[in-house]
C-alpha cells in the first residue's frame, strides 16, 4: 500500500506503495487486460485451480500454476485487473496511479515480475528541498546534507526521535516474520497500541509529531488503531531473506521503498501479466460462494460457475469474509477476518502545465501537521511534460471525507496544495481522485490492519489452508506485507503450496 515523511537520521516517513503518474501510451481501455473474458453468459469451467481475485497476488499465482501445466480460471469482481493497483487516465493524456505505486531496495519479486514483462522504472523525483509545515509555519529544508532527511524540529525532539527509531529497529529484529505471534514478547507487545507505546517513549512533543505522521503515512491508520506487535512486524517485514527490515528502508525515498516508479504506471504490470493469461482471466465476476462438492469445489460468481480441485482466495481478508463458504470456515479463520479491517486512504492528484515547484527548488514532498493532505509527492512523468502533485488523504482525515462530494474534496485538497506551494497550485488543468474507502471491492487501503490481541490469538489462521482452499494476498506475505512486492511474494508462495498437494 508508499509515501514519505521525515524522521531523524536518515528516515523519511513515507507512504506505502500507492500512486504515481506518467505520460503512458496506455489509454483507458488499455488499463483493462486486453484479452480477458467477461462473466456475461459464460459457460461453466472445469479447472485444476480457481483463483479469486486478479490483483498481483492472484495473477502471479495463476502464472506459476499455468507454467506448471495446471488449468486455471481467475475470477475478478471488478471490470479491470490490478486490485489495489490502478491507473487513472488524465484528461490531457497520460496516466497517474490511484493505488500501489513505488518500489525500492529488497523488493525483489515485484521488480523481477516487472522486468519479465518489459515494464521499466524511473527514479521518484527527489531533487530539491522538502517542506515542513508545522504550527502554521512553512520551512523548506535540504535532505542531502550532513543531517540527511532530518526535518527542522527542535534538537531535543530530534534526539528523542532518533532513540525511538533505533529502539523500533532493534525490537523489530526480534520478530520472526513468518510467525510474529511467536516472538518472545509477543503477548506483551500485542496487549498495547502503538499510541500507548509512543506516549511512553516519544516523550518530546515534536518527536511524537514525527511518529504520528509516520504512522498515518505508512499505515493510513492512527497509532491508537494498531497493535504494537503489528507495527514491529511491519518494520521487520520491510526487507528480504538476506536483509532484515528497518524503519529507514520502509520510509525513505532514495534507497528506500519510494525510490522508483514504473514507466507507464504501475497497473501496466498486472495488465501485461493478465494479458499473458488470456481468457483464463474473467472480469466482472464477483465470487459469491465456494462450496465443497465431492472431491471438488464449486465456485459461483456472477455469470459464471467454476469447478476446481483447489481454490486460491487472493483478496483482502475483509472481502474474503464476504464470500459464503460451505462447509463453514473454521471459527479461527472467520474470526480473524472479522478483526482485520482495511485502513482508510484516498489519493488526490492535481495536474498542471509544468511542475512549477521545481523552479522554486522544491521536490514536491511535504510533511504537515494540519489539513486534509499531510504528505505529498511530485508525481510528474519522467519527461516532466506536465506537473502532477499527489497527496494522500489518510486515516481520520479520510474518514471525515467519506461522505463528501468530489467537489468538496477537491476544494479541500487544493486549499492545502496552495498553502504548501503557492497560488499556482490553486488552478490545476485537471484533477483526479481515488477514494479507496468507497471502492466497492476494496473498502479501504492500502492494507488490512491489526488491533491489539489479533495476531497472538488469530495469526496462525492467516495462511493456514482450509481443506483445498488456500489464501494469498499481500496481507499473507512474510516480507513487504502491504506492498506490491508482498502481493507478488504471496502469489508465488501459494502456487508452490497448491502444486505440492495437486
Amino acid at each position: 500500500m508508499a509515501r514519505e515523511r521525515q524522521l531523524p537520521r536518515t528516515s523519511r516517513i513515507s507512504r506505502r506503495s500507492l500512486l504515481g503518474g506518467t505520460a503512458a501510451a496506455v489509454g483507458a481501455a488499455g488499463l483493462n487486460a486486453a484479452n480477458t473474458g467477461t462473466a456475461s453468459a459464460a459457460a461453466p469451467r472445469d479447472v485444476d485451480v480457481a483463483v479469486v481475485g486478479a490483483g498481483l497476488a492472484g495473477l502471479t499465482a495463476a502464472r506459476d500454476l499455468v507454467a506448471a501445466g495446471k488449468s486455471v480460471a481467475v475470477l475478478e469482481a471488478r471490470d479491470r485487473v490490478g486490485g489495489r493497483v490502478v491507473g487513472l487516465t488524465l484528461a490531457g493524456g497520460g496516466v497517474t496511479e490511484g493505488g500501489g505505486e513505488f518500489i525500492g531496495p529488497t523488493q525483489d519479486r515485484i521488480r523481477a515480475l516487472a522486468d519479465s514483462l518489459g515494464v521499466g522504472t524511473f527514479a521518484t523525483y527527489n531533487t530539491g528541498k522538502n517542506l515542513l509545515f508545522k504550527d502554521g509555519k512553512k520551512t523548506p529544508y535540504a535532505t542531502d546534507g550532513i543531517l540527511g532527511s532530518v526535518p527542522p524540529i527542535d534538537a531535543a525532539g530530534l534526539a528523542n526521535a532518533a532513540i525511538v527509531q533505533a529502539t523500533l529497529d532493534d525490537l523489530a529484529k526480534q520478530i520472526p516474520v513468518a510467525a510474529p505471534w511467536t516472538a518472545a514478547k509477543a503477548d506483551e507487545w500485542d496487549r498495547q497500541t502503538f499510541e500507548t507505546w509512543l506516549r511512553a517513549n516519544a516523550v518530546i512533543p515534536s518527536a511524537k509529531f514525527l511518529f504520528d505522521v509516520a504512522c498515518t503515512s505508512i499505515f493510513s491508520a492512527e497509532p491508537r488503531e494498531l497493535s504494537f506487535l503489528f507495527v514491529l512486524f511491519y518494520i521487520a517485514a520491510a526487507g528480504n531473506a538476506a536483509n532484515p527490515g528497518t524503519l529507514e528502508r520502509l520510509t525513505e525515498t532514495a534507497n528506500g521503498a519510494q525510490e522508483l516508479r514504473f514507466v507507464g504506471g504501475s497497473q501496466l504490470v498486472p495488465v501485461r501479466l493478465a494479458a499473458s493469461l488470456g481468457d483464463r482471466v474473467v472480469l466482472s465476476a464477483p465470487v459469491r460462494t465456494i462450496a465443497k462438492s465431492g472431491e471438488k469445489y464449486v465456485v459461483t460468481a456472477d455469470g459464471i460457475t467454476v469447478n476446481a480441485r483447489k481454490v486460491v482466495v487472493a483478496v483482502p481478508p475483509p472481502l474474503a469474509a464476504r464470500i459464503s463458504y460451505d462447509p463453514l470456515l473454521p471459527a479461527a479463520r472467520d474470526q480473524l477476518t472479522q478483526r482485520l479491517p482495511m485502513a482508510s486512504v484516498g489519493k488526490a492528484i492535481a495536474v498542471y502545465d509544468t511542475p512549477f515547484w521545481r523552479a522554486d527548488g522544491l521536490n514536491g514532498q511535504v510533511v504537515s501537521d494540519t489539513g486534509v493532505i499531510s504528505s505529498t509527492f511530485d508525481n510528474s512523468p519522467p519527461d516532466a511534460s506536465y506537473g502532477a502533485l499527489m497527496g494522500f488523504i489518510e486515516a481520520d482525515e479520510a474518514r471525515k471525507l467519506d461522505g463528501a462530494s468530489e467537489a468538496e474534496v477537491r476544494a479541500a485538497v487544493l486549499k492545502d496544495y496552495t498553502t504548501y506551494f503557492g497560488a499556482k497550485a490553486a488552478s490545476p488543468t485537471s484533477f483526479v481522485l481515488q477514494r479507496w474507502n468507497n471502492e466497492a471491492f476494496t473498502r479501504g487501503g492500502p492494507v488490512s490492519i491489526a488491533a491489539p490481541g489479533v495476531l497472538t490469538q488469530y495469526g496462525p489462521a492467516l495462511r493456514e489452508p482450509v481443506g483445498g482452499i488456500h489464501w494469498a494476498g499481500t496481507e499473507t506475505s512474510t516480507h513487504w506485507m502491504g506492498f506490491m512486492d508482498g502481493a507478488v511474494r504471496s502469489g508465488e508462495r501459494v502456487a508452490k503450496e497448491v502444486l505440492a498437494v495437486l
Side-chain angles (χ1 to χ4, degrees):
M1 226 25 336
R3 50 209 151 185
E4 137 174 27
R5 306 282 185 181
Q6 317 310 315
L7 264 190
R9 294 163 70 183
T10 54
S11 254
R12 243 182 216 171
I13 307 271
S14 93
R15 167 81 222 133
R16 331 222 332 173
S17 34
L18 283 165
L19 201 144
T22 63
V26 182
L31 290 177
N32 295 321
N35 297 316
T36 57
T38 65
S40 178
R45 298 192 188 187
D46 292 290
V47 297
D48 292 317
V49 185
V51 178
V52 181
L56 284 168
L59 292 172
T60 298
R63 174 203 63 180
D64 290 358
L65 290 166
V66 169
K70 304 303 179 184
S71 57
V72 172
V74 183
L75 303 176
E76 169 56 47
R78 300 174 177 86
D79 62 357
R80 62 169 180 83
V81 299
R84 284 168 274 182
V85 179
V86 61
L88 305 176
T89 302
L90 301 175
V95 173
T96 193
E97 292 138 33
E101 174 177 358
F102 303 108
I103 67 168
T106 75
Q107 294 190 6
D108 313 312
R109 303 317 303 154
I110 180 64
R111 182 62 181 267
L113 175 60
D115 286 347
S116 73
L117 296 168
V119 181
T121 61
F122 67 102
T124 302
Y125 191 80
N126 198 37
T127 302
K129 294 183 177 181
N130 283 29
L131 284 177
L132 173 67
F133 189 83
K134 189 174 185 297
D135 300 325
K137 181 182 179 182
K138 183 167 61 177
T139 306
Y141 64 99
T143 62
D144 56 359
I146 190 171
L147 295 178
S149 59
V150 179
I153 62 171
D154 59 280
L158 290 176
N160 185 202
I163 293 171
V164 171
Q165 177 182 320
T167 301
L168 288 170
D169 281 344
D170 287 343
L171 295 179
K173 292 175 184 175
Q174 302 176 39
I175 302 294
V177 292
W181 45 88
T182 65
K185 294 186 177 181
D187 286 341
E188 174 187 336
W189 292 334
D190 207 29
R191 283 197 299 266
Q192 60 186 308
T193 64
F194 190 33
E195 173 71 18
T196 300
W197 189 88
L198 282 176
R199 287 186 178 183
N201 290 273
V203 295
I204 304 299
S206 56
K208 178 64 162 54
F209 155 74
L210 290 180
F211 288 96
D212 283 346
V213 296
C215 181
T216 55
S217 173
I218 294 169
F219 299 100
S220 294
E222 304 294 338
R224 67 177 185 273
E225 299 178 86
L226 304 173
S227 158
F228 184 49
L229 177 63
F230 177 74
V231 171
L232 292 178
F233 165 51
Y234 216 84
I235 296 170
N240 57 19
N243 299 278
T246 65
L247 183 60
E248 177 183 352
R249 188 179 300 116
L250 188 66
T251 61
E252 283 286 343
T253 299
N255 300 313
Q258 289 66 241
E259 185 172 61
L260 300 172
R261 294 167 55 201
F262 288 112
V263 177
S266 56
Q267 198 190 356
L268 197 55
V269 178
V271 164
R272 288 188 177 178
L273 181 53
S276 73
L277 294 168
D279 63 5
R280 297 180 182 90
V281 180
V282 183
L283 302 178
S284 301
V287 170
R288 307 300 182 182
T289 63
I290 299 175
K292 188 79 161 56
S293 178
E295 295 301 313
K296 290 193 174 185
Y297 288 86
V298 179
V299 181
T300 305
D302 289 1
I304 187 171
T305 298
V306 175
N307 302 307
R309 297 166 62 192
K310 304 293 179 184
V311 180
V312 170
V313 178
V315 298
L319 297 185
R322 297 181 184 183
I323 299 171
S324 177
Y325 298 88
D326 182 12
L328 292 175
L329 295 178
R333 170 67 196 185
D334 191 78
Q335 297 232 337
L336 171 73
T337 60
Q338 293 178 39
R339 289 164 170 81
L340 288 178
M342 300 299 285
S344 301
V345 68
K347 297 183 82 172
I349 305 94
V351 179
Y352 305 90
D353 289 334
T354 64
F356 60 85
W357 50 93
R358 297 183 184 181
D360 297 327
L362 301 176
N363 61 16
Q365 297 170 26
V366 172
V367 175
S368 176
D369 66 351
T370 189
V372 170
I373 299 288
S374 57
S375 78
T376 66
F377 272 92
D378 180 331
N379 251 40
S380 310
D383 63 0
S385 55
Y386 59 85
L389 283 174
M390 181 272 288
F392 292 97
I393 310 172
E394 303 174 290
D396 283 351
E397 293 300 327
R399 289 186 281 266
K400 289 176 186 176
L401 292 173
D402 281 343
S405 68
E406 183 164 337
E408 290 170 329
V409 176
R410 183 182 189 275
V413 168
L414 293 182
K415 179 181 177 182
D416 288 344
Y417 287 176
T418 302
T419 297
Y420 305 147
F421 299 104
K424 291 181 181 178
S427 303
T429 57
S430 63
F431 182 90
V432 290
L433 181 65
Q434 179 71 21
R435 306 167 77 176
W436 289 102
N437 291 12
N438 295 339
E439 167 81 31
F441 295 108
T442 310
R443 299 318 303 262
V447 68
S448 293
I449 56 175
V454 174
L455 289 181
T456 49
Q457 291 300 308
Y458 303 99
L462 187 60
R463 287 185 297 276
E464 183 68 24
V466 177
I469 303 174
H470 300 253
W471 313 103
T474 189
E475 284 84 1
T476 70
S477 184
T478 56
H479 287 105
W480 290 110
M481 181 264 210
F483 288 73
M484 292 186 288
D485 188 75
V488 174
R489 289 176 188 272
S490 79
E492 293 174 337
R493 184 263 306 161
V494 82
K496 292 176 183 177
E497 186 178 283
V498 170
L499 287 170
V501 294
L502 271 177

